[in-house]
Amino acid sequence: FVEDLRDGDTFQVVYEELWRDGQRIGTGNVIGATFTNRGKHYTAFGYSPNGGATEYFDETGRPLKKVLMRIPIEFARLSSTFGMRNHPILGRMRAHKGVDYAARTGTPIMAAGDGKVAFVGWKNGYGRAVIIDHGQGRSTLYGHMSAWGNEKVGQHVNQGSTIGYVGMSGLATGPHLHYEFRVNGTQVNPLTVTMPKPQPLSGAALAKFRAATAPALAKLQLVEKNNAMRVASN
């Protein structure tokens, strides 16, 4: 929702409170949340399918963790879009085959998804770059780094792991991440391309999920009802 927030969007959150000897000592996990964005309703429920770390799913049991991230960096500003543009250094019209995110030098860059490191090194105008092969013909490129992470070619990386840091190596006028999304070797716009969807829970696993998240769903429905009544009374 980085680029999609609008006036009038609303959200509700149900989360854990931690208490000890009658004193509130902090907050725990988000149990459930709803978000209405541009008229469309989204839900998220915390659940541990195998008794491990909490993951988040929508009401149908589909994981909210994306197979591939559209934006592999935090605290950044979209500074250049995909398509034709006047190159800031070369001074001529040229296809920009990725998107740029301006950020402070040293800002961590994350792997957009699980995959194998296909390239680490200096790559012409990209400067210090990393390419990750995600399988099924999909790969991502990260350019203009100030420094690489610790990954080596052939190494497996997990989504969200730090693979480098924002810089301005190569042809760049300021610190930013140049991010490319490739399908069978051809660059496509990472902000509009259809991303692969994770498989939803099914059968007995889905039944367990619905039973475990029913209390959070009831609380969220109560919060939404109370908020609607409050708005109506005003």
Side-chain angles (χ1 to χ4, degrees), residues 60-181:
T60 69
R62 186 179 295 277
L64 292 180
K65 179 182 177 181
K66 305 299 183 184
V67 175
L68 289 166
M69 301 161 60
R70 294 186 190 276
I71 305 174
I73 185 173
E74 295 182 328
F75 316 117
R77 171 180 59 86
L78 180 64
S79 57
S80 188
T81 56
F82 186 94
M84 295 299 295
R85 67 168 184 175
N86 187 40
H87 195 280
I89 294 179
L90 300 178
R92 64 174 184 267
M93 293 299 294
R94 185 179 181 184
H96 187 232
K97 298 183 178 181
V99 291
D100 291 347
Y101 292 103
R104 292 180 180 271
T105 297
T107 300
I109 299 167
M110 298 177 286
D114 297 346
K116 182 185 294 185
V117 178
F119 176 86
V120 177
W122 189 276
K123 192 172 180 64
N124 301 325
Y126 293 108
R128 294 183 184 87
V130 171
I131 298 176
I132 299 177
D133 181 357
H134 303 285
Q136 298 183 321
R138 301 184 183 94
S139 62
T140 49
L141 177 146
Y142 314 77
H144 304 310
M145 294 178 172
S146 60
W148 296 286
N150 296 320
E151 289 73 25
K152 307 298 181 185
V153 172
Q155 181 177 339
H156 177 83
V157 292
N158 294 321
Q159 183 182 75
S161 60
T162 298
I163 57 171
Y165 302 88
V166 168
M168 52 184 294
S169 58
L171 293 178
T173 57
H176 71 279
L177 165 67
H178 174 83
Y179 175 52
E180 290 185 6
F181 191 98

Side-chain angles (χ1 to χ4, degrees), residues 3 8 19 23 49 68 90 93 112 127 160 188 209 229 231:
E3 302 294 326
W19 293 72
Q23 297 292 321
L68 289 166
L90 300 178
M93 293 299 294
V188 296
F209 165 77
M229 293 174 60
V231 171

Side-chain angles (χ1 to χ4, degrees), residues 30-42:
V30 171
I31 299 172
T34 62
F35 177 43
T36 301
N37 170 239
R38 304 172 73 176
K40 188 172 181 179
H41 198 63
Y42 299 87

Side-chain angles (χ1 to χ4, degrees), residues 176-192:
H176 71 279
L177 165 67
H178 174 83
Y179 175 52
E180 290 185 6
F181 191 98
R182 301 176 175 184
V183 179
N184 296 322
T186 300
Q187 293 97 334
V188 296
N189 189 343
L191 297 182
T192 59

